[in-house]
Protein backbone atom coordinates (compact mmCIF):
# COMPACT_ATOMS: atom_id res chain seq x y z
CA UNK A 1 0.00 0.00 0.00
CA UNK A 2 1.17 3.50 -0.75
CA UNK A 3 2.13 6.11 1.79
CA UNK A 4 -0.87 7.61 3.51
CA UNK A 5 -1.35 11.37 3.64
CA UNK A 6 -1.15 12.94 7.06
CA UNK A 7 -4.38 13.17 9.00
CA UNK A 8 -5.44 16.79 9.20
CA UNK A 9 -7.81 17.89 11.92
CA UNK A 10 -8.82 21.44 11.26
CA UNK A 11 -11.85 23.60 11.68
CA UNK A 12 -13.37 25.64 8.90
CA UNK A 13 -11.67 28.84 10.01
CA UNK A 14 -8.26 27.28 9.72
CA UNK A 15 -7.57 26.72 13.40
CA UNK A 16 -6.63 23.41 14.89
CA UNK A 17 -9.55 21.83 16.66
CA UNK A 18 -7.45 20.57 19.55
CA UNK A 19 -8.79 17.04 19.66
CA UNK A 20 -6.64 14.08 18.65
CA UNK A 21 -6.52 12.83 15.08
CA UNK A 22 -9.65 10.97 14.04
CA UNK A 23 -7.76 7.72 13.64
CA UNK A 24 -4.25 6.56 14.22
CA UNK A 25 -2.17 6.98 11.07
CA UNK A 26 -1.33 3.30 11.01
CA UNK A 27 -4.96 2.19 11.21
CA UNK A 28 -5.15 0.64 7.77
CA UNK A 29 -1.91 -1.28 8.35
CA UNK A 30 -3.64 -3.32 11.05
CA UNK A 31 -6.46 -4.40 8.76
CA UNK A 32 -5.23 -6.87 6.20
CA UNK A 33 -5.73 -5.87 2.55
CA UNK A 34 -7.54 -9.10 1.70
CA UNK A 35 -10.20 -7.77 -0.66
CA UNK A 36 -9.44 -8.19 -4.35
CA UNK A 37 -10.46 -5.76 -7.05
CA UNK A 38 -13.22 -8.09 -8.26
CA UNK A 39 -14.59 -8.24 -4.71
CA UNK A 40 -14.77 -4.45 -4.47
CA UNK A 41 -16.26 -4.15 -7.94
CA UNK A 42 -19.08 -6.57 -7.12
CA UNK A 43 -19.65 -5.04 -3.68
CA UNK A 44 -20.02 -1.66 -5.39
CA UNK A 45 -22.43 -3.00 -8.02
CA UNK A 46 -24.47 -5.32 -5.82
CA UNK A 47 -24.37 -3.29 -2.63
CA UNK A 48 -27.40 -1.23 -3.59
CA UNK A 49 -29.49 -4.25 -4.60
CA UNK A 50 -31.15 -5.39 -1.38
CA UNK A 51 -34.24 -7.35 -0.46
CA UNK A 52 -36.05 -4.02 -0.18
CA UNK A 53 -35.96 -3.66 -3.96
CA UNK A 54 -37.53 -7.06 -4.58
CA UNK A 55 -40.08 -7.00 -1.74
CA UNK A 56 -40.44 -3.49 -0.32
CA UNK A 57 -41.01 -1.82 -3.68
CA UNK A 58 -44.55 -3.26 -3.73
CA UNK A 59 -45.54 -1.06 -0.75
CA UNK A 60 -44.08 1.97 -2.50
CA UNK A 61 -46.04 1.27 -5.68
CA UNK A 62 -49.27 0.86 -3.67
CA UNK A 63 -48.58 4.20 -1.97
CA UNK A 64 -47.65 6.30 -5.00
CA UNK A 65 -48.89 4.39 -8.03
CA UNK A 66 -46.81 4.88 -11.19
CA UNK A 67 -45.49 8.04 -9.52
CA UNK A 68 -43.18 5.74 -7.56
CA UNK A 69 -40.83 6.19 -10.52
CA UNK A 70 -40.42 9.85 -9.54
CA UNK A 71 -39.94 8.79 -5.90
CA UNK A 72 -37.07 6.52 -6.94
CA UNK A 73 -35.70 9.27 -9.18
CA UNK A 74 -35.53 11.81 -6.33
CA UNK A 75 -34.11 9.28 -3.84
CA UNK A 76 -31.61 8.08 -6.43
CA UNK A 77 -30.52 11.65 -7.15
CA UNK A 78 -29.88 12.19 -3.44
CA UNK A 79 -27.75 9.05 -3.27
CA UNK A 80 -25.75 10.01 -6.36
CA UNK A 81 -24.94 13.44 -4.93
CA UNK A 82 -24.13 12.14 -1.44
CA UNK A 83 -21.94 9.35 -2.84
CA UNK A 84 -20.08 11.92 -4.93
CA UNK A 85 -19.30 13.90 -1.77
CA UNK A 86 -18.33 10.80 0.17
CA UNK A 87 -16.23 9.58 -2.73
CA UNK A 88 -14.33 12.87 -2.78
CA UNK A 89 -13.30 12.41 0.85
CA UNK A 90 -12.76 8.64 0.68
CA UNK A 91 -10.59 8.78 -2.45
CA UNK A 92 -8.37 11.39 -0.82
CA UNK A 93 -8.02 9.47 2.44
CA UNK A 94 -9.59 5.97 2.67
CA UNK A 95 -10.62 4.93 6.18
CA UNK A 96 -12.46 2.00 7.71
CA UNK A 97 -14.62 4.54 9.55
CA UNK A 98 -15.52 6.37 6.32
CA UNK A 99 -18.04 9.18 6.94
CA UNK A 100 -17.79 8.79 10.74
CA UNK A 101 -14.06 9.51 10.55
CA UNK A 102 -14.61 12.48 8.25
CA UNK A 103 -17.32 13.88 10.53
CA UNK A 104 -14.87 13.56 13.43
CA UNK A 105 -12.32 15.67 11.59
CA UNK A 106 -14.68 18.19 10.04
CA UNK A 107 -17.35 18.74 12.68
CA UNK A 108 -15.84 17.47 15.92
CA UNK A 109 -15.62 14.39 18.10
CA UNK A 110 -19.31 14.63 18.98
CA UNK A 111 -20.29 14.20 15.32
CA UNK A 112 -18.00 11.24 14.61
CA UNK A 113 -19.05 9.52 17.84
CA UNK A 114 -22.78 10.06 17.29
CA UNK A 115 -23.03 9.16 13.63
CA UNK A 116 -20.67 6.20 14.04
CA UNK A 117 -22.71 4.62 16.83
CA UNK A 118 -26.04 5.37 15.09
CA UNK A 119 -24.75 3.68 11.95
CA UNK A 120 -23.62 0.68 14.00
CA UNK A 121 -27.07 0.60 15.64
CA UNK A 122 -28.77 0.65 12.23
CA UNK A 123 -26.84 -2.33 10.93
CA UNK A 124 -27.16 -4.55 13.99
CA UNK A 125 -30.95 -4.04 13.80
CA UNK A 126 -30.77 -4.91 10.09
CA UNK A 127 -29.03 -8.16 11.06
CA UNK A 128 -32.14 -9.20 12.98
CA UNK A 129 -34.51 -8.11 10.21
CA UNK A 130 -32.60 -9.96 7.49
CA UNK A 131 -32.05 -13.10 9.58
CA UNK A 132 -35.78 -13.28 10.26
CA UNK A 133 -36.64 -12.67 6.60
CA UNK A 134 -34.31 -15.46 5.47
CA UNK A 135 -35.65 -17.81 8.15
CA UNK A 136 -39.26 -17.16 7.07
CA UNK A 137 -38.55 -18.20 3.47
CA UNK A 138 -36.36 -21.17 4.44
CA UNK A 139 -39.04 -22.45 6.82
CA UNK A 140 -41.48 -22.42 3.90
CA UNK A 141 -39.11 -24.70 2.01
CA UNK A 142 -38.25 -26.98 4.94
CA UNK A 143 -41.00 -26.64 7.55
CA UNK A 144 -39.48 -29.43 9.65
CA UNK A 145 -36.81 -26.94 10.78
CA UNK A 146 -38.35 -24.25 13.03
CA UNK A 147 -37.98 -20.62 12.05
CA UNK A 148 -35.82 -19.71 15.05
CA UNK A 149 -33.38 -22.50 14.09
CA UNK A 150 -33.03 -21.12 10.55
CA UNK A 151 -32.33 -17.64 11.96
CA UNK A 152 -29.67 -19.14 14.23
CA UNK A 153 -28.12 -21.10 11.34
CA UNK A 154 -27.76 -18.12 9.01
CA UNK A 155 -26.37 -15.90 11.80
CA UNK A 156 -23.79 -18.52 12.80
CA UNK A 157 -22.81 -19.18 9.17
CA UNK A 158 -22.18 -15.55 8.33
CA UNK A 159 -20.46 -14.86 11.63
CA UNK A 160 -18.02 -17.67 10.81
CA UNK A 161 -17.52 -16.21 7.33
CA UNK A 162 -16.62 -12.79 8.71
CA UNK A 163 -14.37 -14.24 11.42
CA UNK A 164 -12.41 -16.38 8.97
CA UNK A 165 -10.88 -13.47 7.02
CA UNK A 166 -11.85 -10.38 5.12
CA UNK A 167 -11.16 -12.38 1.96
CA UNK A 168 -13.85 -14.92 2.88
CA UNK A 169 -16.33 -12.08 3.38
CA UNK A 170 -15.33 -10.68 -0.01
CA UNK A 171 -15.64 -14.06 -1.73
CA UNK A 172 -19.07 -14.73 -0.21
CA UNK A 173 -20.27 -11.27 -1.20
CA UNK A 174 -18.81 -11.61 -4.70
CA UNK A 175 -20.93 -14.66 -5.52
CA UNK A 176 -24.10 -13.62 -3.72
CA UNK A 177 -24.00 -10.09 -5.10
CA UNK A 178 -23.28 -11.65 -8.50
CA UNK A 179 -26.51 -13.66 -8.28
CA UNK A 180 -28.46 -10.48 -7.51
CA UNK A 181 -26.90 -8.62 -10.41
CA UNK A 182 -27.53 -11.46 -12.88
CA UNK A 183 -31.13 -11.81 -11.65
CA UNK A 184 -32.04 -8.14 -11.94
CA UNK A 185 -30.25 -7.87 -15.31
CA UNK A 186 -32.20 -10.87 -16.66
CA UNK A 187 -35.42 -9.32 -15.39
CA UNK A 188 -34.67 -6.02 -17.15
CA UNK A 189 -33.91 -7.79 -20.44
CA UNK A 190 -37.08 -9.94 -20.34
CA UNK A 191 -39.32 -7.08 -19.21
CA UNK A 192 -37.82 -4.70 -21.77
CA UNK A 193 -38.52 -7.16 -24.59
CA UNK A 194 -42.06 -7.68 -23.31
CA UNK A 195 -42.83 -3.94 -23.16
CA UNK A 196 -42.11 -3.69 -26.90
CA UNK A 197 -43.83 -6.99 -27.74
CA UNK A 198 -40.57 -8.68 -28.73
CA UNK A 199 -40.85 -11.53 -26.21
CA UNK A 200 -42.60 -14.59 -27.70
CA UNK A 201 -46.25 -14.64 -26.61
CA UNK A 202 -46.23 -11.06 -25.34
CA UNK A 203 -48.14 -8.02 -26.59
CA UNK A 204 -46.60 -4.58 -26.58
CA UNK A 205 -47.90 -2.54 -23.65
CA UNK A 206 -45.71 0.52 -24.02
CA UNK A 207 -46.48 3.09 -21.36
CA UNK A 208 -50.26 2.54 -21.22
CA UNK A 209 -50.24 1.16 -17.66
CA UNK A 210 -48.60 4.35 -16.45
CA UNK A 211 -51.75 6.41 -17.06
CA UNK A 212 -54.73 4.07 -17.55
CA UNK A 213 -55.51 3.16 -13.91
CA UNK A 214 -56.32 6.45 -12.28
CA UNK A 215 -53.52 8.41 -13.90
CA UNK A 216 -49.80 8.69 -13.25
CA UNK A 217 -50.45 10.14 -9.78
CA UNK A 218 -53.66 8.43 -8.63
CA UNK A 219 -53.17 9.59 -5.02
CA UNK A 220 -51.97 13.09 -5.85
CA UNK A 221 -48.49 14.69 -5.99
CA UNK A 222 -47.96 14.29 -2.24
CA UNK A 223 -47.81 10.53 -2.73
CA UNK A 224 -44.45 10.99 -4.46
CA UNK A 225 -42.88 12.08 -1.16
CA UNK A 226 -44.76 9.41 0.80
CA UNK A 227 -43.44 6.81 -1.62
CA UNK A 228 -39.96 8.28 -1.34
CA UNK A 229 -39.96 7.70 2.42
CA UNK A 230 -40.59 4.01 1.74
CA UNK A 231 -37.87 3.63 -0.90
CA UNK A 232 -35.12 5.96 0.34
CA UNK A 233 -33.85 3.41 2.83
CA UNK A 234 -33.48 0.83 0.06
CA UNK A 235 -30.38 2.76 -0.99
CA UNK A 236 -28.69 2.36 2.41
CA UNK A 237 -25.64 0.23 1.68
CA UNK A 238 -24.27 2.19 -1.26
CA UNK A 239 -21.66 3.63 1.11
CA UNK A 240 -20.30 0.21 2.14
CA UNK A 241 -17.71 0.24 -0.62
CA UNK A 242 -16.00 3.26 0.98
CA UNK A 243 -15.56 1.30 4.21
CA UNK A 244 -14.41 -1.86 2.46
CA UNK A 245 -11.96 -0.05 0.17
CA UNK A 246 -9.55 0.40 3.09
CA UNK A 247 -8.94 -3.38 3.05
CA UNK A 248 -8.04 -3.51 -0.64
CA UNK A 249 -4.61 -3.02 -2.27
CA UNK A 250 -5.71 0.10 -4.19
CA UNK A 251 -8.44 1.85 -2.16
CA UNK A 252 -8.27 5.20 -3.93
CA UNK A 253 -8.78 3.58 -7.33
CA UNK A 254 -11.71 1.45 -6.16
CA UNK A 255 -13.48 4.36 -4.46
CA UNK A 256 -13.11 6.47 -7.59
CA UNK A 257 -14.49 3.68 -9.78
CA UNK A 258 -17.44 2.99 -7.46
CA UNK A 259 -18.32 6.68 -7.18
CA UNK A 260 -18.22 7.21 -10.92
CA UNK A 261 -20.46 4.20 -11.60
CA UNK A 262 -23.17 4.96 -9.03
CA UNK A 263 -25.30 6.84 -11.59
CA UNK A 264 -25.72 3.96 -14.02
CA UNK A 265 -26.12 1.44 -11.19
CA UNK A 266 -29.06 3.29 -9.65
CA UNK A 267 -30.50 4.23 -13.03
CA UNK A 268 -30.40 0.66 -14.31
CA UNK A 269 -31.16 -1.53 -11.32
CA UNK A 270 -33.70 0.65 -9.52
CA UNK A 271 -35.27 3.12 -11.95
CA UNK A 272 -35.08 0.78 -14.93
CA UNK A 273 -36.48 -2.34 -13.27
CA UNK A 274 -39.26 -0.55 -11.33
CA UNK A 275 -40.35 1.43 -14.40
CA UNK A 276 -40.57 -1.74 -16.49
CA UNK A 277 -42.55 -3.54 -13.79
CA UNK A 278 -45.08 -0.69 -13.55
CA UNK A 279 -45.38 -0.61 -17.35
CA UNK A 280 -46.18 -4.32 -17.56
CA UNK A 281 -48.46 -4.81 -14.55
CA UNK A 282 -51.18 -2.37 -13.35
CA UNK A 283 -49.97 -0.66 -10.19
CA UNK A 284 -53.23 -1.51 -8.35
CA UNK A 285 -53.01 -5.22 -9.13
CA UNK A 286 -53.66 -7.44 -6.09
CA UNK A 287 -50.62 -9.52 -6.99
CA UNK A 288 -48.33 -6.48 -6.86
CA UNK A 289 -49.52 -5.73 -3.33
CA UNK A 290 -49.34 -9.33 -2.10
CA UNK A 291 -46.28 -10.78 -3.85
CA UNK A 292 -44.37 -7.76 -5.09
CA UNK A 293 -43.95 -6.24 -8.57
CA UNK A 294 -41.24 -8.64 -9.71
CA UNK A 295 -43.19 -11.85 -9.06
CA UNK A 296 -46.28 -10.23 -10.59
CA UNK A 297 -44.29 -9.26 -13.69
CA UNK A 298 -42.72 -12.71 -14.10
CA UNK A 299 -46.16 -14.32 -13.80
CA UNK A 300 -47.47 -11.87 -16.37
CA UNK A 301 -44.69 -12.96 -18.72
CA UNK A 302 -45.59 -16.62 -18.18
CA UNK A 303 -42.32 -17.53 -16.48
CA UNK A 304 -42.93 -20.86 -14.70
CA UNK A 305 -42.32 -21.05 -10.93
CA UNK A 306 -41.90 -17.28 -10.75
CA UNK A 307 -42.61 -17.22 -7.03
CA UNK A 308 -39.99 -19.86 -6.24
CA UNK A 309 -37.42 -18.16 -8.46
CA UNK A 310 -38.00 -14.86 -6.69
CA UNK A 311 -37.83 -16.51 -3.26
CA UNK A 312 -34.38 -17.87 -4.15
CA UNK A 313 -33.25 -14.43 -5.31
CA UNK A 314 -34.67 -12.75 -2.19
CA UNK A 315 -32.91 -15.26 0.10
CA UNK A 316 -29.68 -14.52 -1.76
CA UNK A 317 -30.24 -10.78 -1.38
CA UNK A 318 -31.06 -11.20 2.31
CA UNK A 319 -27.95 -13.27 3.04
CA UNK A 320 -25.84 -10.79 1.10
CA UNK A 321 -27.29 -7.90 3.11
CA UNK A 322 -26.79 -9.80 6.38
CA UNK A 323 -23.18 -10.55 5.44
CA UNK A 324 -22.47 -6.94 4.51
CA UNK A 325 -24.33 -5.67 7.57
CA UNK A 326 -22.15 -7.67 9.93
CA UNK A 327 -19.01 -6.59 8.08
CA UNK A 328 -20.05 -2.93 8.09
CA UNK A 329 -21.08 -2.86 11.75
CA UNK A 330 -17.84 -4.51 12.85
CA UNK A 331 -15.67 -2.12 10.82
CA UNK A 332 -17.48 0.88 12.22
CA UNK A 333 -16.99 -0.52 15.74
CA UNK A 334 -13.31 -1.08 14.89
CA UNK A 335 -12.92 2.53 13.77
CA UNK A 336 -14.69 3.84 16.88
CA UNK A 337 -12.33 1.76 19.00
CA UNK A 338 -9.30 3.22 17.21
CA UNK A 339 -10.52 6.72 17.99
CA UNK A 340 -11.20 5.98 21.65
CA UNK A 341 -14.97 6.25 21.18
CA UNK A 342 -15.53 2.54 21.86
CA UNK A 343 -13.74 -0.06 23.99
CA UNK A 344 -10.12 -0.41 22.86
CA UNK A 345 -10.59 -4.15 22.38
CA UNK A 346 -12.80 -3.33 19.38
CA UNK A 347 -9.68 -2.04 17.62
CA UNK A 348 -7.69 -5.23 18.15
CA UNK A 349 -7.25 -7.63 15.23
CA UNK A 350 -6.34 -11.30 15.33
CA UNK A 351 -3.59 -13.02 13.36
CA UNK A 352 -5.87 -13.12 10.29
CA UNK A 353 -6.18 -9.32 10.35
CA UNK A 354 -9.84 -9.47 11.45
CA UNK A 355 -11.34 -7.35 14.29
CA UNK A 356 -12.83 -10.39 16.04
CA UNK A 357 -14.05 -8.57 19.16
CA UNK A 358 -15.86 -5.96 17.06
CA UNK A 359 -17.49 -8.76 15.05
CA UNK A 360 -18.61 -10.64 18.17
CA UNK A 361 -19.99 -7.47 19.76
CA UNK A 362 -21.97 -6.65 16.62
CA UNK A 363 -23.37 -10.12 16.11
CA UNK A 364 -24.21 -10.48 19.83
CA UNK A 365 -26.61 -7.55 19.64
CA UNK A 366 -27.95 -8.97 16.39
CA UNK A 367 -28.75 -12.26 18.17
CA UNK A 368 -30.52 -10.36 20.96
CA UNK A 369 -32.55 -8.41 18.41
CA UNK A 370 -33.56 -11.65 16.68
CA UNK A 371 -34.83 -12.97 20.03
CA UNK A 372 -36.86 -9.77 20.52
CA UNK A 373 -38.32 -10.24 17.05
CA UNK A 374 -39.83 -13.54 18.23
CA UNK A 375 -40.73 -12.61 21.82
CA UNK A 376 -41.77 -8.95 21.47
CA UNK A 377 -42.39 -8.15 17.79
CA UNK A 378 -44.93 -5.40 18.54
CA UNK A 379 -43.04 -3.72 21.38
CA UNK A 380 -39.29 -4.03 21.81
CA UNK A 381 -38.47 -5.02 18.23
CA UNK A 382 -40.81 -2.37 16.80
CA UNK A 383 -38.95 0.20 18.89
CA UNK A 384 -35.62 -1.02 17.50
CA UNK A 385 -36.93 -0.69 13.94
CA UNK A 386 -38.39 2.79 14.44
CA UNK A 387 -35.35 4.06 16.33
CA UNK A 388 -33.07 3.20 13.41
CA UNK A 389 -35.46 4.19 10.62
CA UNK A 390 -34.11 7.67 9.90
CA UNK A 391 -30.42 6.90 10.37
CA UNK A 392 -29.84 6.89 6.61
CA UNK A 393 -30.93 10.53 6.38
CA UNK A 394 -28.77 11.46 9.38
CA UNK A 395 -25.74 9.80 7.78
CA UNK A 396 -26.29 11.51 4.45
CA UNK A 397 -26.71 15.00 5.89
CA UNK A 398 -23.57 14.58 8.03
CA UNK A 399 -21.66 13.57 4.88
CA UNK A 400 -22.82 16.80 3.22
CA UNK A 401 -21.65 19.04 6.07
CA UNK A 402 -18.37 17.13 6.39
CA UNK A 403 -17.59 17.56 2.71
CA UNK A 404 -18.28 21.29 2.92
CA UNK A 405 -15.59 21.68 5.56
CA UNK A 406 -13.01 19.16 4.32
CA UNK A 407 -12.98 20.23 0.67
CA UNK A 408 -10.56 23.09 1.33
CA UNK A 409 -8.31 20.87 3.48
CA UNK A 410 -8.08 18.28 0.68
CA UNK A 411 -7.30 20.93 -1.94
CA UNK A 412 -4.57 22.44 0.23
CA UNK A 413 -2.92 19.42 1.85
CA UNK A 414 -3.41 16.56 -0.62
CA UNK A 415 -4.17 17.98 -4.08
CA UNK A 416 -2.62 14.95 -5.76
CA UNK A 417 -5.32 12.78 -4.16
CA UNK A 418 -8.19 15.04 -5.14
CA UNK A 419 -9.24 12.72 -7.96
CA UNK A 420 -13.00 12.79 -7.26
CA UNK A 421 -14.66 16.20 -7.16
CA UNK A 422 -18.18 17.17 -6.20
CA UNK A 423 -19.97 18.79 -9.13
CA UNK A 424 -20.70 22.55 -8.95
CA UNK A 425 -19.24 22.86 -5.46
CA UNK A 426 -20.50 24.31 -3.16
CA UNK A 427 -23.88 25.02 -4.79
CA UNK A 428 -24.92 21.39 -5.32
CA UNK A 429 -23.80 20.52 -1.81
CA UNK A 430 -26.04 23.26 -0.37
CA UNK A 431 -28.90 22.16 -2.63
CA UNK A 432 -28.51 18.56 -1.41
CA UNK A 433 -28.58 19.72 2.23
CA UNK A 434 -31.74 21.73 1.53
CA UNK A 435 -33.46 18.77 -0.13
CA UNK A 436 -32.44 16.51 2.76
CA UNK A 437 -33.82 18.93 5.34
CA UNK A 438 -37.05 19.10 3.35
CA UNK A 439 -37.36 15.29 3.40
CA UNK A 440 -36.66 15.21 7.15
CA UNK A 441 -39.29 17.90 7.69
CA UNK A 442 -41.79 15.96 5.60
CA UNK A 443 -41.16 12.87 7.73
CA UNK A 444 -42.36 14.82 10.78
CA UNK A 445 -45.47 15.78 8.79
CA UNK A 446 -46.19 12.32 7.37
CA UNK A 447 -48.19 9.99 9.62
CA UNK A 448 -46.09 6.95 8.74
CA UNK A 449 -42.75 8.71 8.97
CA UNK A 450 -43.34 10.75 12.13
CA UNK A 451 -42.89 7.89 14.60
CA UNK A 452 -39.66 6.73 12.93
CA UNK A 453 -38.26 10.26 12.94
CA UNK A 454 -39.18 10.95 16.57
CA UNK A 455 -37.74 7.64 17.77
CA UNK A 456 -34.56 8.09 15.71
CA UNK A 457 -34.09 11.65 16.96
CA UNK A 458 -34.57 10.47 20.56
CA UNK A 459 -31.94 7.72 20.21
CA UNK A 460 -29.63 10.11 18.39
CA UNK A 461 -29.97 12.66 21.20
CA UNK A 462 -29.11 10.03 23.81
CA UNK A 463 -26.02 8.96 21.85
CA UNK A 464 -24.98 12.60 21.37
CA UNK A 465 -25.26 13.36 25.09
CA UNK A 466 -23.25 10.25 25.94
CA UNK A 467 -20.59 11.29 23.44
CA UNK A 468 -20.33 14.80 24.88
CA UNK A 469 -20.10 13.48 28.44
CA UNK A 470 -17.43 10.92 27.54
CA UNK A 471 -15.43 13.49 25.62
CA UNK A 472 -15.55 15.94 28.54
CA UNK A 473 -14.48 13.23 30.95
CA UNK A 474 -11.54 12.27 28.74
CA UNK A 475 -10.60 15.93 28.30
CA UNK A 476 -10.57 16.45 32.07
CA UNK A 477 -8.38 13.38 32.53
CA UNK A 478 -5.91 14.60 29.93
CA UNK A 479 -5.64 18.05 31.56
CA UNK A 480 -5.26 16.88 35.16
CA UNK A 481 -1.75 17.65 36.47
CA UNK A 482 0.36 14.67 37.32
CA UNK A 483 0.38 13.77 41.00
CA UNK A 484 3.42 15.08 42.79
CA UNK A 485 5.71 12.38 44.23
CA UNK A 486 5.34 11.89 47.93
CA UNK A 487 8.36 12.97 50.05
CA UNK A 488 10.67 10.19 51.02
CA UNK A 489 10.14 8.80 54.50
CA UNK A 490 13.84 8.06 54.86
CA UNK A 491 15.64 10.06 57.51
CA UNK A 492 18.49 11.98 56.07
CA UNK A 493 21.74 11.49 57.91
Amino acid sequence: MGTRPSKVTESADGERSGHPPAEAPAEQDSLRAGLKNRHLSMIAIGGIIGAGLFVGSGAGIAKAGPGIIVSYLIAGLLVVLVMRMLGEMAAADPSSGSFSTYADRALGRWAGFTIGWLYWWFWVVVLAVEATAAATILTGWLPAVPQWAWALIVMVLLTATNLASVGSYGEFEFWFAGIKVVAITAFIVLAGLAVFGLLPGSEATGASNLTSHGGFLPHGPGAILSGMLLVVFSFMGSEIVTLAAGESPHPEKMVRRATNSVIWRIGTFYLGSVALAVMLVPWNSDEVAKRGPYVATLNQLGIPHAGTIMDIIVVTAVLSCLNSGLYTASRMAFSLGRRGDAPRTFAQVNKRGVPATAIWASVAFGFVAVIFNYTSPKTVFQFLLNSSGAVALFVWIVICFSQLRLRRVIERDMPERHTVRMWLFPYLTYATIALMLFVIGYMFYDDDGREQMLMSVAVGAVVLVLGILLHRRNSLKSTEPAAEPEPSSAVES
Side-chain angles (χ1 to χ4, degrees):
M1 299 176 66
T3 303
R4 301 281 182 207
S6 59
K7 310 289 187 185
V8 178
T9 306
E10 187 171 4
S11 61
D13 60 3
E15 294 180 357
R16 298 284 173 179
S17 64
H19 60 69
E23 291 190 28
E27 176 212 347
Q28 299 299 342
D29 296 332
S30 60
L31 289 174
R32 188 165 300 171
L35 292 176
K36 301 177 182 178
N37 287 341
R38 64 182 177 88
H39 294 156
L40 266 294
S41 297
M42 192 56 71
I43 289 170
I45 295 172
I48 62 169
I49 306 174
L53 173 62
F54 298 109
V55 180
S57 52
I61 292 173
K63 191 85 172 178
I68 194 67
I69 297 172
V70 181
S71 301
Y72 272 106
L73 180 63
I74 297 173
L77 176 62
L78 274 179
V79 174
V80 168
L81 294 174
V82 170
M83 278 297 294
R84 188 74 185 183
M85 293 180 234
L86 180 58
E88 181 176 76
M89 295 180 288
D93 194 3
S95 166
S96 67
S98 188
F99 49 84
S100 174
T101 304
Y102 309 136
D104 192 310
R105 298 170 192 163
L107 307 177
R109 290 292 294 278
W110 64 270
F113 178 96
T114 304
I115 208 64
W117 277 114
L118 285 178
Y119 191 68
W120 179 88
W121 175 266
F122 173 87
W123 280 110
V124 294
V125 173
V126 166
L127 293 181
V129 174
E130 302 296 349
T132 304
T136 301
I137 297 175
L138 293 170
T139 302
W141 295 347
L142 294 172
V145 181
Q147 187 172 327
W148 66 265
W150 278 121
L152 179 63
I153 290 169
V154 297
M155 290 284 278
V156 169
L157 171 65
L158 294 176
T159 301
T161 299
N162 277 264
L163 285 171
S165 69
V166 68
S168 62
Y169 154 75
E171 200 64 30
F172 184 100
E173 195 59 23
F174 174 81
W175 291 106
F176 273 59
I179 292 172
K180 294 188 295 183
V181 171
V182 169
I184 200 70
T185 302
F187 175 87
I188 291 171
V189 171
L190 290 173
L193 292 174
V195 164
F196 296 102
L198 300 177
L199 194 69
S202 65
E203 296 182 3
T205 61
S208 61
N209 277 328
L210 297 180
T211 56
S212 58
H213 301 279
F216 185 73
L217 296 172
H219 301 308
I224 292 176
L225 286 173
S226 298
M228 181 183 169
L229 298 183
L230 292 172
V231 305
V232 69
F233 304 108
S234 299
F235 293 107
M236 196 69 166
S238 55
E239 72 290 334
I240 290 176
V241 68
T242 63
L243 282 84
E247 294 178 79
S248 69
H250 307 288
E252 300 88 353
K253 176 182 177 182
M254 296 311 302
V255 167
R256 186 168 63 251
R257 183 182 299 174
T259 303
N260 290 337
S261 66
V262 69
I263 296 176
W264 71 260
R265 287 186 279 130
I266 289 177
T268 302
F269 296 138
Y270 275 89
L271 281 174
S273 65
V274 170
L276 289 170
V278 175
M279 287 181 187
L280 287 170
V281 183
W283 70 270
N284 55 356
S285 164
D286 290 338
E287 194 171 17
V288 170
K290 292 178 181 178
R291 309 197 66 185
Y294 295 91
V295 173
T297 302
L298 293 177
N299 283 331
Q300 177 91 357
L301 299 179
I303 305 297
H305 310 295
T308 302
I309 293 172
M310 192 52 60
D311 277 347
I312 294 172
I313 295 170
V314 169
V315 166
T316 301
V318 163
L319 293 178
S320 171
C321 185
L322 205 161
N323 187 46
S324 290
L326 180 53
Y327 171 84
T328 306
S330 65
R331 279 0 182 233
M332 185 57 71
F334 169 83
S335 178
L336 289 166
R338 293 288 295 195
R339 286 177 271 153
D341 290 334
R344 289 290 182 183
T345 54
F346 284 13
Q348 296 174 0
V349 297
N350 59 22
K351 60 183 180 181
R352 293 184 296 275
V354 172
T357 304
I359 291 174
W360 280 117
S362 301
V363 79
F365 192 91
F367 275 118
V368 172
V370 168
I371 294 172
F372 284 144
N373 196 8
Y374 290 110
T375 61
S376 312
K378 301 298 183 182
T379 53
V380 179
F381 190 70
Q382 192 63 41
F383 165 77
L384 295 179
L385 283 179
N386 288 332
S387 65
S388 63
V391 168
L393 293 175
F394 296 165
V395 168
W396 293 350
I397 202 164
V398 164
I399 289 172
C400 294
F401 281 109
S402 299
Q403 189 261 347
L404 270 178
R405 307 194 77 178
L406 288 182
R407 170 68 173 253
R408 189 179 62 175
V409 176
I410 295 172
E411 289 179 332
R412 185 190 65 224
D413 294 346
M414 48 187 84
E416 74 284 356
R417 289 179 175 267
H418 199 190
T419 55
V420 176
R421 297 172 184 268
M422 177 60 184
W423 306 295
L424 298 177
F425 178 83
Y427 308 109
L428 262 185
T429 301
Y430 284 122
T432 305
I433 292 172
L435 181 56
M436 207 89 66
L437 292 175
F438 175 76
V439 173
I440 290 174
Y442 186 81
M443 282 193 74
F444 282 109
Y445 170 80
D446 184 77
D447 291 337
D448 296 328
R450 187 180 303 115
E451 186 176 7
Q452 285 190 16
M453 181 57 71
L454 290 175
M455 291 279 195
S456 298
V457 168
V459 171
V462 171
V463 175
L464 174 59
V465 170
L466 287 175
I468 293 173
L469 292 176
L470 288 172
H471 179 51
R472 284 183 177 177
R473 189 188 69 176
N474 293 336
S475 297
L476 289 174
K477 284 184 177 180
S478 62
T479 56
E480 286 179 358
E484 293 183 7
E486 296 182 3
S488 172
S489 60
V491 178
E492 293 183 5
S493 57

